[in-house]
Amino acid sequence: MTAKPNLAVVVIGYRAPPSMIGSVRSLLDQGVALEILVVNSGGGDAKSLLSEAGLDVPVIEISHRLFVGAARNIGIAATKAPFVAFLADDCLACPDWAEARLSQHLSGAPMVSSAILNSHPQNPFACAAYLALFVRRLPGLPAELALRYGVSFDRRLFEKYGVFDESMRVAEDTDFLKRLPPELEPLWYPRVKTIHRNQTRLLGLLVDQYGRGYRTGAYYTGTTPSKPLRLARNTFSDRRQVRRLVQIGLSGAELAFARRSMPLVLLALLAKSLGVYRGARAQLKMAGRAKNDL
């Protein structure tokens, strides 16, 4: 395509996983001119991986590990299109992903968020992971119930409000959005759909949920006065919201399968809650040691 791209998409990779091939290919198949850039950190050879798959896109390799905020910032600085989106290496852009974003940006929306689809809708463990992680981003949710993430941005926002915090292991996008004026809220536009690759086995589900919980607990300990046990209880209480939101955000066979997966959702939330508790306690201990060293 020779048209000048209006949308840059930064693919964020860690150790050049094979899944990155699908992520990049899903962008090349959009049928819209895109400025695609891969930012890979922590090792691996993303350029060779993609070239061997017949994919020729620019790649920036960083030998040490970057948190997502730093990878985002490198991508912002290295691209030029007026709007910028991001895609993780464990995600795929659905057909119409780019065109739907651009339709709203070019109509005046400075930020456009996206819905999430399950990579394995007939796998009970993947379904549990999907609902435990993304129940507030189901495609059938109304705007007042949806979380606005998976956001693409008007580049001018970064020029005015700064870029992402590079030191945060999680929630760098939440931190950036909090810095914006209240009237600048991302548009909920579920026609933009991203597929997240979910765990398909029980052990993988539990390990992944625990790890995500651990990182979340460590983060929230530094941003809220809540005790570790309270944070863990709040996480597990999400099970009440899951049942309600599933009824609203899903339909047909997917809704029926989600209902049957609820026992596994509870197990996933329990593993995540345990991770939150231990992550919060570890962060408190670390903060206490740092205080004693002063």
Side-chain angles (χ1 to χ4, degrees):
M1 297 182 183
T2 58
K4 184 178 180 180
N6 281 317
L7 181 65
V9 186
V10 181
V11 179
I12 299 173
Y14 176 56
R15 294 182 175 174
S19 61
M20 181 185 291
I21 295 171
S23 303
V24 172
R25 185 170 283 133
S26 73
L27 296 172
L28 293 171
D29 290 344
Q30 288 292 305
V32 176
L34 297 174
E35 183 183 6
I36 301 170
L37 172 68
V38 174
V39 178
N40 181 67
S41 71
D45 188 346
K47 185 68 175 179
S48 296
L49 175 75
L50 296 172
S51 295
E52 289 171 5
L55 305 178
D56 183 19
V57 296
V59 176
I60 295 177
E61 298 272 14
I62 307 295
S63 59
H64 60 277
R65 181 179 185 178
L66 297 176
F67 291 150
V68 175
R72 287 180 186 261
N73 292 343
I74 288 173
I76 292 167
T79 56
K80 296 180 180 179
F83 306 105
V84 187
F86 305 91
L87 189 68
D89 61 21
D90 61 353
C91 292
L92 301 168
C94 289
D96 199 35
W97 185 91
E99 186 174 0
R101 286 189 187 277
L102 282 170
S103 70
Q104 299 307 299
H105 280 305
L106 296 175
S107 296
M111 294 179 286
V112 180
S113 64
S114 61
I116 294 287
L117 299 184
N118 183 8
S119 58
H120 299 82
Q122 296 302 309
N123 180 287
F125 307 112
C127 185
Y130 175 53
L131 297 178
L133 292 173
F134 302 115
V135 74
R136 295 291 297 274
R137 292 177 65 188
L138 300 180
L141 291 180
E144 63 269 18
L145 294 177
L147 287 179
R148 318 295 177 88
Y149 287 106
V151 178
S152 50
F153 301 85
D154 186 317
R155 183 179 295 275
R156 291 173 294 185
L157 292 172
F158 302 121
E159 298 168 1
K160 186 172 183 179
Y161 298 104
V163 290
F164 296 95
D165 189 320
E166 300 188 358
S167 67
M168 299 178 70
R169 190 171 182 180
V170 297
E172 80 292 333
D173 45 357
T174 300
D175 173 76
F176 177 79
L177 293 173
K178 283 181 178 178
R179 280 187 263 140
L180 304 180
E183 64 272 14
L184 282 179
E185 184 180 27
L187 173 71
W188 171 242
Y189 196 55
R191 200 180 124 200
V192 182
K193 297 180 176 69
T194 301
I195 296 173
H196 183 265
R197 294 183 179 95
N198 294 308
Q199 298 290 332
T200 59
R201 296 185 178 183
L202 178 59
L203 181 60
L205 168 68
L206 298 180
V207 170
D208 182 65
Q209 291 295 318
Y210 176 87
R212 290 175 183 273
Y214 190 97
R215 295 188 292 272
T216 299
Y219 165 69
Y220 278 114
T221 297
T223 59
T224 71
S226 297
K227 303 290 186 180
L229 188 58
R230 175 59 63 85
L231 289 172
R233 285 175 174 170
N234 290 345
T235 299
F236 191 60
S237 70
D238 285 349
R239 66 191 187 280
R240 303 187 185 97
Q241 291 294 326
V242 171
R243 292 183 182 277
R244 182 174 72 93
L245 295 172
V246 160
Q247 293 292 125
I248 301 170
L250 297 177
S251 60
E254 194 170 9
L255 172 59
F257 195 82
R259 286 171 175 163
R260 293 196 297 271
S261 300
M262 281 301 163
L264 286 172
V265 174
L266 297 181
L267 193 59
L269 288 174
L270 185 61
K272 186 177 180 181
S273 300
L274 180 61
V276 166
Y277 176 76
R278 291 188 171 172
R281 282 182 58 85
Q283 186 67 21
L284 286 175
K285 288 181 180 179
M286 187 180 300
R289 286 197 297 269
K291 185 176 180 179
N292 291 335
D293 288 342
L294 293 178

